[in-house]
């Protein structure tokens, strides 16, 4: 049982609400505990209202939007929501994230957590949780398409669940991909090197990470490049107008695991394009909950390609932010908030 899991016998007075900064999150975060916490949570039955679909409110005149992702994870001490606010100002587009956590034992506000790093941590840790069940055990060669924050976080998360023999990296800017390879190689102690094309990175790789949507929203990964046994992790296409993997990748995969099947099929640009191109992904898409609970097995025939497709979920935000909150409190790094909420009591 993880530290964030619900203690049904708890009857303590609620702790004062705290703020957890991104600096504190970085100081206390641990990859493998996050992966295991997500695997444990997704293995439990999820009620029909536990993870509602995300909502987006937008004002055209104000050029602002608010995305809300809520969840009540089964067995967790915390429930809550991630809020993502975006606006266009004098300096261009600006985004801020906040994860608001409530204590399930008291109903009281527990914390406000800066969600910027939490978002990157939870996406990567969930991908690693899925990959740990999808990819064959043993050392692996990793191809990384991208050199940004998500590419880095995912590589670190994957290294927590698989021994990496080598890492091949492609992104459009030669200097960025070279610097990224040098940094990863030093951090992980693995031979990491930049290559000149995505096909060169992907060819022969056991695990393929697609974490860099292209300019113009054209696919960056094609099925013809994949080894017959590859496991693909795709995280970049989360909205209808976004593209990352070509329809040939979806056609080639024998199994597509989704963190949210409905949102992947109905809101991911890659799956919408696959439908238009005559590929029918619905029959091969299964939920991460079904995979972790054992309802669906990850057994693969020789030569089968498997894929994990992510659009993100409030459940992931709450589980990872809750783990970070517990670690920050234990380390004395959470900042008490000088506030008190009125509690409404019913009955």
């Amino acid at each position: 049982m993880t530290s964030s899991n619900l203690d049904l016998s708890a009857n303590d007075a609620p702790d004062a609400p705290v703020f957890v900064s991104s600096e504190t999150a970085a100081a206390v975060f641990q990859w493998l505990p996050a992966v295991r916490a997500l695997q444990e949570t997704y293995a439990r039955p999820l009620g029909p209202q536990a993870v509602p679909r995300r909502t987006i409110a937008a004002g055209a005149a104000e050029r602002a939007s608010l995305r809300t992702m809520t969840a009540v994870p089964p067995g967790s001490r915390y429930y809550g929501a991630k809020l993502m606010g975006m606006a266009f100002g004098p300096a261009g587009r600006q985004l801020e994230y906040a994860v608001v956590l409530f204590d399930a034992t008291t109903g009281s506000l527990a914390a406000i957590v800066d969600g910027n790093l939490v978002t990157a941590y939870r996406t990567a840790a969930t991908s690693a949780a899925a990959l740990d069940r999808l990819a064959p055990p043993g050392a692996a060669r990793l191809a990384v398409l991208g050199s940004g924050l998500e590419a880095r976080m995912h590589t670190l998360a994957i290294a927590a669940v698989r021994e990496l023999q080598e890492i091949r990296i492609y992104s459009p800017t030669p200097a960025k991909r070279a610097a990224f390879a040098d940094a990863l190689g030093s951090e992980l102690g693995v031979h990491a090197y930049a290559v000149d094309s995505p096909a060169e990175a992907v060819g022969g790789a056991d695990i393929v990470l697609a974490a860099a949507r292209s300019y113009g929203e054209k696919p960056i990964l094609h099925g013809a490049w994949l080894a017959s046994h590859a496991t693909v992790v795709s995280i970049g296409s989360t909205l209808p107008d976004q593209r990352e993997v070509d329809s040939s990748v979806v056609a080639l995969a024998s199994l597509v695991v989704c963190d949210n099947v409905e949102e992947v099929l109905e809101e991911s640009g890659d799956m919408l394009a696959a439908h238009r191109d005559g590929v029918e992904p619905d029959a091969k898409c299964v939920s991460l909950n079904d995979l972790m609970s054992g309802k669906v097995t990850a057994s693969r025939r020789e030569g089968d390609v498997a894929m994990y497709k992510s659009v993100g979920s409030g459940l992931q935000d709450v589980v990872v932010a809750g783990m970070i909150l517990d670690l920050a409190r234990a380390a004395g790094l959470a900042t008490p908030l000088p506030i008190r909420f009125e509690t409404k009591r019913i009955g």
Side-chain angles (χ1 to χ4, degrees):
M1 181 175 287
T2 62
S3 59
S4 294
N5 282 30
L6 177 62
D7 179 1
L8 295 178
S9 65
N11 194 30
D12 297 330
D15 293 321
V18 298
F19 172 70
V20 180
S21 67
S22 277
E23 292 80 6
T24 293
V28 302
F29 180 77
Q30 301 171 33
W31 283 111
L32 200 54
V35 169
R36 299 302 182 224
L38 286 160
Q39 288 176 331
E40 289 179 19
T41 301
Y42 273 106
R44 296 188 176 98
L46 287 176
Q49 300 301 316
V51 190
R53 296 182 72 154
R54 58 189 169 182
T55 61
I56 301 176
E62 298 80 4
R63 302 182 72 196
S65 66
L66 177 68
R67 183 184 298 187
T68 307
M69 304 169 74
T70 61
V72 181
S76 175
R77 179 179 176 180
Y78 304 110
Y79 65 96
K82 183 173 77 174
L83 310 177
M84 185 189 82
M86 183 184 75
F88 287 86
R93 187 171 67 169
Q94 179 172 309
L95 298 89
E96 288 192 3
Y97 304 82
V99 182
V100 181
L101 297 177
F102 290 85
D103 192 317
T105 65
T106 64
S108 298
L109 180 72
I112 299 171
V113 182
D114 188 325
N116 185 39
L117 279 181
V118 169
T119 300
Y121 286 146
R122 61 82 150 150
T123 306
T126 309
S127 294
L131 180 72
D132 191 36
R133 301 296 171 85
L134 285 175
R141 294 162 294 178
L142 172 65
V144 179
L145 302 181
S147 58
L149 176 64
E150 288 287 6
R152 178 177 179 273
M153 293 297 189
H154 272 74
T155 303
L156 296 177
I158 291 169
V161 299
R162 286 295 181 274
E163 176 188 351
L164 298 179
Q165 291 176 319
E166 68 170 15
I167 306 172
R168 287 175 292 189
I169 298 153
Y170 173 79
S171 68
T173 306
K176 287 185 178 179
R177 64 184 182 240
F180 186 67
D182 289 343
L184 275 182
S186 297
E187 187 168 1
L188 294 174
V190 176
H191 179 43
Y193 57 99
V195 295
D196 295 328
S197 72
E200 186 180 355
V202 171
D206 305 299
I207 301 170
V208 177
L209 169 64
R213 298 193 337 261
S214 67
Y215 295 108
E217 298 299 346
K218 295 180 180 179
I220 62 169
L221 177 62
H222 293 263
W225 304 340
L226 292 168
S228 60
H229 64 284
T231 302
V232 176
V233 174
S234 170
I235 63 159
S237 170
T238 63
L239 296 173
D241 60 348
Q242 296 175 343
R243 293 300 309 278
E244 182 174 60
V245 303
D246 186 70
S247 298
S248 59
V249 177
V250 182
L252 195 59
S254 61
L255 179 67
V256 180
V257 176
C258 312
D259 54 357
N260 186 309
V261 174
E262 287 185 355
E263 290 188 15
V264 166
L265 289 174
E266 298 173 14
E267 298 183 23
S268 164
D270 290 336
M271 293 301 176
L272 294 174
H275 277 291
R276 291 194 298 270
D277 293 339
V279 178
E280 296 301 330
D282 303 51
K284 61 180 72 178
C285 285
V286 302
S287 72
L288 186 56
N289 181 230
D290 285 347
L291 177 68
M292 293 299 172
S293 67
K295 184 176 180 180
V296 172
T297 64
S299 59
R300 292 160 61 179
R301 297 170 300 178
E302 186 71 25
D304 276 356
V305 169
M307 179 176 169
Y308 170 66
K309 181 67 181 172
S310 169
V311 292
S313 165
L315 181 145
Q316 301 158 18
D317 291 303
V318 171
V319 169
V320 171
M323 184 196 81
I324 288 171
L325 170 59
D326 286 343
L327 292 171
R329 283 192 185 276
L333 296 176
T335 304
L337 293 174
I339 58 176
R340 184 178 69 85
F341 284 84
E342 292 290 335
T343 301
K344 182 176 181 178
R345 303 192 184 279
I346 301 175

